[in-house]
Amino acid sequence: MSGVSGRIAFVQARWHEEIVDRGRVGFAGEIAALDFDDDRVDYFTVPGAFELPLHAQRLAESGRYAAVVCAALVVDGGIYRHEFVVSTVLDGLMRVQLDTGVPVCSVVLAPHQFQGRPEHVEFFGRHFVEKGIEAARACAVTVASLNALQLQPVTGM
């Protein structure tokens, strides 16, 4: 990834880890294909999606990372509205990037229907690989474009 210095943090939830981990695999493969050394990516796990924004915030505020990528699968557990959970998580991740200026890319998905049947696990596993690849590309482009901006402070307003 030309034009990208520093490190990248990849944080993933442990819920449905066998599926979410496929997002990490897709991300790692694509980031390597973009000539970004895997030893410059730090991988973290958290219990669930709800913990992602706080971890992303701490990592972004550390000054160590050029970007943070978060991954989770939020499913309808039948007890609560999973749309509320994913909306809260994504709003939190957006706030982190706006408050810190560090890009936060998302591989947080909330499928309309998910059951733990083998065909769903296989389908969403493949989908997470693709989303991990997309996140790596978005991360690379966003970090490079932000680095290229080299904005000067506005004066005389």
Side-chain angles (χ1 to χ4, degrees), residues 15-144:
W15 280 96
H16 302 287
E17 191 168 23
E18 71 282 3
I19 296 171
V20 178
D21 202 44
R22 304 299 298 152
R24 181 191 52 79
V25 169
F27 175 85
E30 185 65 16
I31 209 77
L34 295 169
D35 295 327
F36 192 86
D37 295 330
D38 190 57
D39 64 350
R40 291 175 45 208
V41 180
D42 294 328
Y43 296 96
F44 303 90
T45 59
V46 297
F50 204 74
E51 291 77 26
L52 289 172
L54 180 59
H55 280 75
Q57 180 183 38
R58 293 279 174 92
L59 292 165
E61 289 174 343
S62 75
R64 187 171 186 201
Y65 297 99
V68 178
V69 180
C70 294
L73 176 64
V74 181
V75 301
D76 185 351
I79 297 172
Y80 57 84
R81 300 287 300 179
H82 71 294
E83 295 93 347
F84 168 77
V85 174
V86 79
S87 177
T88 300
V89 169
L90 292 174
D91 288 348
L93 295 178
M94 179 60 74
R95 195 177 96 214
V96 168
Q97 78 174 350
L98 293 175
D99 290 351
T100 65
V102 175
V104 177
C105 297
S106 172
V107 186
V108 177
L109 304 176
H112 180 64
Q113 292 185 5
F114 174 82
Q115 292 103 29
R117 298 191 318 251
E119 60 271 17
H120 276 204
V121 171
E122 182 182 333
F123 174 82
F124 288 107
R126 285 192 314 269
H127 193 63
F128 261 83
V129 171
E130 288 301 315
K131 291 301 176 187
I133 291 168
E134 291 172 7
R137 292 174 184 163
C139 183
V141 170
T142 302
V143 171

